[in-house]
Amino acid sequence: MIPTILCYSGVTVPAIPSPPSVSGSSYLRLIDTQCTTMRELKQIHANLIKTGLISDTIAASRVLAFCCATSEINYAYLVFTRINHKNPFVWNTMIRGFSKSSFPEKAISIFVDMLLSSPSVKPERLTYPSVFKAYASLWKARDGRELHGRVIKEGLKDDAFIRNTMLHMYVTCGCFDEAWRVFEGMMEFDVVAWNSMIMGLSRFGLVEEARKLFDEMPQRSEVSWNTMISGFVRNGRFKDALEMFREMQERGVKPDGFTMVSLLNACGCIGASEQGRWIHEYIVKNGFGLNGVVITALIDMYCKCGCIVEGLKVFENAPKKQLSCWNSMILGLANNGYMDRSMDLFLELERSGLEPDSVSFIGVLTACAHSGKVHEAIEFFKLMREKYFFEPSIKHYTCMVNVLGGAGLLEEAEAMIKSMPVEEDAIIWTSLLSACRKKGNVEMAERAAKCLKKLDPDETCSYVLMSNAYASYGLFEEAVEQRVFMKERQMEKEIGCSSIEVDFEVHEFVSCGKRNPKSSKIYSLLGVLNWDASSLKSEVGYYSVC
């Protein structure tokens, strides 16, 4: 007998099931071959419920797996709770789904339920990796050690999949003693494990150790090169990142989009616009997909290098503008002196059909701070809360303090810090202290400096700004006391610098620096030009960073 057929939004759903085998039924074939959206899945799910087939674990597990694959974790959990006879596949699917979600703690909770559910259902080799990932997301490697012990007891410690997720958990949480023990216990070379160690070391600032490990690798994948390049960028070693890319090319290793994004970030951070343009041309010439991530990186690079026209060109020619592209352009315009254009672009974003996020508001509030537009900033701040229901973060409050402080509304700025519902940080007090110095309000500056020192006693900024505030108010004795206090505590102000790019090489000028071999010639030239270097506040040094 041929079953009756019903059609819903492009999905053909049989109204009568095909016994006797559920696993071969038309419903399950639909999920595997035709179902592409949650709307279609729910239609099939409804028919499974009506026909009673949903009581079969295989049918329910297919619905569950589709929900988890499409990140519909809440619906997946509802399906999971209604499965009476849960097999290992059902447990593993739900644990894996939550481990990838915003609620990794639920993956651990379900794993515990699995252990207590039935003696006949036990964790297997596919169960543990998801639980280790959940512990990594929660930064709970200490709890993960107990699971590590269970893995050893069950004789699974040499399973590559389990071992690599354990290693990932330890390096993500900065537990390098445990990570090294797992890593050194490997019986054979595993490029995934080596990449994980390099990534973890770089993430925690141990970039030299990461480079040493990279150099020792018997063989490297593209991921290995990308991990090392991004590690250099993360740690401010932009020259090394660009040099590694050159080495990568010399060895015939083909870069990918991740490589390009890291290199663009490096160029933006050191103002290497010529190299950034070359990388842009390389991306186009070699057919890299101009996805949202690459376009955003290009816009960000051009804006940081001050090439705002080229940044706008990339933005306007983007085939599809993701929200990150809008955000990068709004902030780039604000930071390059195009405040009105930045605010106009924010309004254009609202009309585009995309909704601004918290980063969008940081960009437009930055534009208001640079332009001194207090009223507009207040309106944008209200808009964020009342229309888009974002609770302002410390970054948004810092922007508002910059707006108010720049306009001389110091009392309002201080009141905002004291009344805000989020925890204050050193940056927001630094912003107020800087405004107080500019406006000559020594009394408030002292209060701000006190709060700043309490939050970060080793930060030199409070002492330098306070010294400058005293000096600008004519209180030179107090100004000297701040400098003496810094000297007694052996606190050094971060060296100021500026840079210039000439012929694909970035040259950086730093205060009191003589690291470049040509520094003596530079000072000699200053002498020839009758520059009185002693009249400068500090000698100008020079060295190449790229």
Side-chain angles (χ1 to χ4, degrees), residues 293-525:
V293 177
V294 174
I295 292 171
T296 301
L298 283 166
I299 295 169
D300 184 63
M301 181 274 295
Y302 280 126
C303 289
K304 285 180 177 177
C305 292
C307 307
I308 199 68
V309 174
E310 288 166 282
L312 275 168
K313 186 177 179 181
V314 172
F315 175 77
E316 290 167 356
N317 292 335
K320 185 178 180 181
K321 299 180 181 68
Q322 293 186 359
L323 183 57
S324 60
C325 302
W326 289 87
N327 291 345
S328 187
M329 197 69 249
I330 291 168
L331 186 59
L333 287 164
N335 286 331
N336 281 275
Y338 297 87
M339 285 75 74
D340 290 338
R341 181 73 180 92
S342 175
M343 287 184 269
D344 289 342
L345 192 62
F346 178 87
L347 298 176
E348 191 178 327
L349 165 61
E350 288 192 292
R351 295 191 295 269
S352 73
L354 291 173
E355 283 196 359
D357 62 6
S358 61
V359 179
S360 313
F361 281 98
I362 290 174
V364 76
L365 288 174
T366 299
C368 293
H370 290 335
S371 59
K373 295 188 176 181
V374 178
H375 175 72
E376 288 83 349
I378 293 172
E379 290 302 312
F380 283 125
F381 199 72
K382 287 181 180 177
L383 183 72
M384 177 172 59
R385 306 182 75 169
E386 296 174 5
K387 182 178 179 179
Y388 296 105
F389 305 106
F390 291 128
E391 281 303 315
S393 69
I394 187 65
K395 292 182 179 179
H396 298 106
Y397 280 107
T398 301
C399 288
M400 287 303 298
V401 168
N402 286 331
V403 171
L404 297 170
L409 302 172
L410 299 178
E411 298 292 340
E412 290 84 348
E414 185 179 30
M416 174 169 277
I417 296 175
K418 291 181 177 179
S419 63
M420 65 183 186
V422 297
E423 187 176 352
E424 61 200 48
D425 66 2
I427 296 174
I428 198 167
W429 283 112
T430 300
S431 298
L432 181 62
L433 178 53
S434 181
C436 292
R437 182 190 67 80
K438 293 176 183 177
K439 303 300 179 181
N441 190 327
V442 176
E443 185 179 341
M444 187 181 292
E446 288 176 335
R447 294 199 297 271
K450 184 178 180 180
C451 293
L452 181 54
K453 291 172 186 176
K454 185 178 179 181
L455 286 168
D456 193 352
D458 298 323
E459 174 57 57
T460 62
C461 188
S462 59
Y463 299 97
V464 174
L465 287 173
M466 201 63 239
S467 175
N468 293 340
Y470 282 133
S472 64
Y473 210 66
L475 301 172
F476 299 110
E477 187 175 336
E478 288 83 351
V480 171
E481 284 180 359
Q482 296 293 314
R483 300 284 181 171
V484 170
F485 187 80
M486 286 178 61
K487 189 173 183 179
E488 289 176 347
R489 296 192 61 183
Q490 297 182 334
M491 300 171 68
E492 294 185 1
K493 179 178 176 291
E494 185 177 348
I495 298 174
C497 67
S498 60
S499 62
I500 184 172
E501 184 184 25
V502 180
D503 295 332
F504 286 87
E505 189 174 3
V506 176
H507 306 279
E508 191 171 65
F509 295 83
V510 301
S511 175
C512 302
K514 295 183 180 180
R515 289 172 55 181
N516 189 274
K518 297 182 180 180
S519 61
S520 59
K521 293 183 179 180
I522 294 171
Y523 288 119
S524 296
L525 181 59

Side-chain angles (χ1 to χ4, degrees), residues 148-162:
H148 185 176
R150 182 185 179 94
V151 165
I152 293 172
K153 289 179 181 178
E154 293 187 7
L156 295 172
K157 69 181 181 67
D158 293 324
D159 182 281
F161 192 27
I162 296 174

